[in-house]
Amino acid sequence: MAPRAKRQPRIEPTFGEDSSSLLDLRLGPQDRTSAPASKSGSKSKAGKAGGRKKPSAKKRAKTQSGKTRASAGNRRGGRSGAKRRSRKRRTRLKVPAAVGRIFKRGVYWSAVAGIWGVIAVVCVIGYYAAYLPPTSEWQVPARPPNVKIVAINGDLLANRGDTGGEAVRLEQLPPYLPNAVIAIEDRRFRSHFGIDPIGLMRAAYTNVTSGRVSQGGSTLTQQLAKNLFLQPDRTIKRKIQELVLAFWLEAEYSKDEILEMYLNRVYLGSGAYGVDAAARRYFGKSARLLTVAEAATIAGLLKAPSRYSPARNPDLAEDRAQLVLSAMHEEGYINSGEAKNAIAAPAKAIRRYTTASENYVADYVMDVLPHFVGLIEGDIIVDTTIDPAMQQAAEGALRSALSENRQKLGVSQGAIVTLDTAGAIKALVGGADYAKSQFNRAAYAKRQPGSAFKPFVYLAALENGMTPQTVRQDQPISIKGWSPQNYTKEHYGPVTLTRSLSMSLNTVAARLAQEVGTGTVANTAKRLGITSDMNRNPSMALGTSEVTPLEIASAYVPFSNGGYGVLPHVIRRIKTVDGKTLYSRSGDGRGRVVQRRNVGDMNLMMSETLLSGTGRKARLDSGRPAGGKTGTSQDFRDAWFIGYTGNLTTAVWFGNDNNSPTKKATGGSLPAATWKAVMDAAHQGLPVADLPGVPNVPVNVSAPRKPQSQQQTNVSSGRNPIPPGSIGGGGGSNESTGERRGPLNLLRNIFGGG
């Protein structure tokens, strides 16, 4: 067998230099329990003697027990010191640590509450947003169309529609107008995302500290969202929907687009929507032409349009404008010099916008507009036949007459309408003050014309074979129990038709109507342009059937144009803002309605009314040939003068809206004088035109008898409509005017007009 391998000696592990990187687990001297000096010395000597003596088991146990007690003592001493040091540290850190714990807990629970708050807000927003239409259907509604109404020369008369003004581009406005709105309403408009958290917190703090809702935190975008899509109710639902829509607007449109939409749609009081409507309403100009002070005044209206209206509360409006100017200066939109100048020269609102007679024209245009274009889908421009100079003259004459005679004659209202020979309305004044009453008396007020209706009676007589020289008896007459009487209660015996018309003799007019028939008279009036229903009774000859100033003026036009009926009109052309023509007037009127010979005879008779009859106060200063007729209804309730030249026809009415009697105002007094003022101004610069058909040769007529005062022998019937024509009894002038008036002067001399 093989020899057994020799056992190698056991190698003990050592910790040398190669083991420096390992953890040294051996106890060092500092880790051992200290021994007494003697023992240490003996051990040391023993060691020196050449080796360590192995202790006995009993001694080892005793030694181990001592070590254990010493180790335990050291541990107790160490723990006691650590406790004392820890207690001191806890004492020093007790208060800060408590605060820290509270702070940490506060942060934690705040975060938790914030998360749940966000979740709750999202849920609430989602709930109310669900009531909105799908986002695919969201779109900004079109701005309500504006109707720009202009005069024949292009001057603006008025804007009509839901907005009251034009839509203007942002670049067309002076920069200080949008800047004024931003400065006072939403200073962070250019930087926020639809809502302004800073503004909301500021408004909330102010409202809480003041104890009332004095400020709002809505941005311009939120206000636009509300104006475009929502009802103005104050509910959480509406407010949340407003926020959602504001975010959508900010995402879909630029800041300039949002601002432009806002400026064109915001309500600024007095029916004005948008800055252009407000500029015209308060300052009579386009928003493109506003000054710094005017822009600040308009921006100040946004807080409370009625309260800060410069037309109603100029002092409050000025204070508010100064606040806006201060905000503009703080934001750097204007310098100190511009601010001082604007404060030194505050904006002044005009009153004419609300009182101007052009508003009657604009309302009338809007009434007839649907007949020409139907549904209006976009902004349009309506060219009218109105002459601004004639309109102003008519308005001024009416107001002056009422101001001077309101108390004296007991009249409170009036109306004036002027037409040219084609029936185009050149001026239309529907009342004394549009701001006080918007009812258009010129177009819609039906009143008894009185003796102003008589020309249709006399025309019917001429068409039935009579002439201006035909003689009829001016004496008492009774027709089916009705007995008309003259204004003076006097009778003149045999008179020509010319004389009886110029003196407005009621008995002769009633006799003529009886001869030709009331039906014939009614048909004649309708043929010339009277559209209202007429009572075909004997009193119709004296104008007891009601008419409007516009229709009776149009019925007089054939006398001025040679016998052609007209359709009164105010619209010439309608076009879109980009120039597309939607309507252009063409065609004629009613055609010939009076034979030329009869036109001449009527003009001869009606000219005498101004020369020697009841309309002497209407004679024109220029000596221009003119004809016309006075009218006074029963109990002096209505006073008229309707007259014409070869260029224009004008009807004037005065009375009271409640149909109460005036203080004996007659057609030959206030209306005739007012007609003269209107026509003198209207004919400035117009060539002189003769009245059509006036003969150039003398005419033989019979002179009337001297008037004989007579008592009325016949008692009127119960109805007794006796609308007397005002008569003056002579007084015509013999002075030559230099115009072609030979036959008219002859008639005047025969009648003894001096």
Side-chain angles (χ1 to χ4, degrees), residues 14 19 39 67 100 227 241 261 282 288 315 360 377 391 416 445 463 467 504 511 552 643 685 706 753:
T14 60
S19 305
K39 293 180 179 180
K67 290 181 178 180
N227 294 337
Q241 290 178 340
M261 285 189 287
Y282 298 115
R288 303 172 181 88
D315 293 336
Y360 292 113
E377 298 180 348
Q391 182 74 22
I416 297 175
E463 292 176 340
T467 68
S504 196
R511 195 180 301 276
I552 197 169
K706 293 182 179 180

Side-chain angles (χ1 to χ4, degrees), residues 539-686:
S539 66
M540 183 184 70
L542 305 187
T544 56
S545 296
E546 296 177 337
V547 296
T548 68
L550 179 58
E551 69 176 308
I552 197 169
S554 66
Y556 270 57
V557 170
F559 300 137
S560 72
N561 67 11
Y564 294 92
V566 299
L567 297 172
H569 59 277
V570 70
I571 296 177
R572 295 189 307 123
R573 182 173 57 250
I574 304 171
K575 58 185 179 181
T576 62
V577 291
D578 56 3
K580 179 182 177 181
T581 299
L582 302 178
Y583 166 80
S584 181
R585 181 173 177 79
S586 61
D588 300 324
R590 303 173 182 271
R592 178 170 289 280
V593 294
V594 184
Q595 294 300 315
R596 186 169 181 82
R597 181 188 64 184
N598 293 330
V599 171
D601 290 342
M602 288 298 301
N603 286 336
L604 180 66
M605 291 189 291
M606 294 178 72
S607 297
E608 195 60 34
T609 301
L610 276 68
L611 296 174
S612 63
T614 58
R616 294 189 304 277
K617 289 186 178 181
R619 280 185 294 179
L620 301 178
D621 291 338
S622 60
R624 189 182 299 266
K629 186 68 188 74
T630 58
T632 309
S633 70
Q634 185 178 5
D635 296 331
F636 303 95
R637 287 184 170 87
D638 305 281
W640 297 78
F641 190 89
I642 301 100
Y644 55 90
T645 66
N647 306 102
L648 301 169
T649 300
T650 294
V652 178
W653 167 84
F654 285 100
N656 298 303
D657 285 339
N658 60 3
N659 206 30
S660 61
T662 65
K663 297 178 181 178
K664 295 187 177 181
T666 63
S669 58
L670 184 60
T674 304
W675 183 90
K676 167 183 163 53
V678 172
M679 294 293 269
D680 276 337
H683 282 83
Q684 294 291 328
L686 293 180

Side-chain angles (χ1 to χ4, degrees), residues 10 41 216 224 294 315 331 367 370 391 517 525 541 557 672 690 703 711 726:
R10 183 173 181 269
L224 178 62
E294 291 166 346
D315 293 336
E331 293 298 307
D367 289 343
Q391 182 74 22
V557 170
D690 291 331
Q711 297 294 328
S726 171

Side-chain angles (χ1 to χ4, degrees), residues 109-258:
W109 289 112
S110 296
V112 172
I115 293 172
W116 282 108
V118 170
I119 294 173
V121 169
V122 171
C123 291
V124 172
I125 291 176
Y127 174 77
Y128 286 116
Y131 287 94
L132 292 171
T135 55
S136 59
E137 299 179 8
W138 291 7
Q139 59 180 352
V140 174
R143 184 177 184 269
N146 177 67
V147 180
K148 182 179 181 180
I149 303 170
V150 299
I152 196 169
N153 63 350
D155 289 350
L156 178 70
L157 294 175
N159 284 288
R160 284 294 185 268
D162 292 339
T163 59
E166 301 176 53
V168 290
R169 300 297 303 273
L170 192 62
E171 59 268 20
Q172 295 175 327
L173 296 172
Y176 40 77
L177 176 55
N179 288 341
V181 173
I182 292 174
I184 197 63
E185 286 293 313
D186 189 1
R187 295 190 180 190
R188 285 170 289 277
F189 170 74
R190 295 287 183 184
S191 59
H192 64 60
F193 50 89
I195 64 172
D196 183 8
I198 298 176
L200 287 173
M201 290 187 290
R202 171 185 51 77
Y205 174 78
T206 303
N207 295 336
V208 170
T209 55
S210 64
R212 60 187 180 89
V213 180
S214 59
Q215 287 190 9
S218 294
T219 63
L220 295 182
T221 311
Q222 289 177 262
Q223 295 179 41
L224 178 62
K226 178 181 65 177
N227 294 337
L228 290 178
F229 304 107
L230 304 173
Q231 297 297 323
D233 52 338
R234 295 190 174 186
T235 62
I236 296 177
K237 175 182 177 181
R238 197 272 297 166
K239 195 65 178 178
I240 291 176
Q241 290 178 340
E242 176 186 299
L243 292 174
V244 174
L245 292 169
F247 292 145
W248 177 77
L249 286 172
E250 289 282 346
E252 291 292 323
Y253 298 95
S254 68
K255 288 290 186 180
D256 283 348
E257 289 173 329
I258 292 173

Side-chain angles (χ1 to χ4, degrees), residues 622-623 625 688 690 734-742 745 748:
S622 60
V688 175
D690 291 331
N734 291 322
E735 181 180 355
S736 174
T737 63
E739 303 293 338
R740 188 182 59 165
R741 298 292 294 279
N745 289 332
R748 188 168 65 246

Side-chain angles (χ1 to χ4, degrees), residues 291-294 296-297 318-319 321-323 325-326 334-348:
T291 64
V292 175
E294 291 166 346
T297 302
E318 184 176 344
D319 293 342
Q322 292 180 4
L323 183 63
L325 291 169
S326 177
I334 57 175
N335 57 41
S336 58
E338 291 173 321
K340 291 178 181 178
N341 291 337
I343 292 174
K348 299 296 182 182

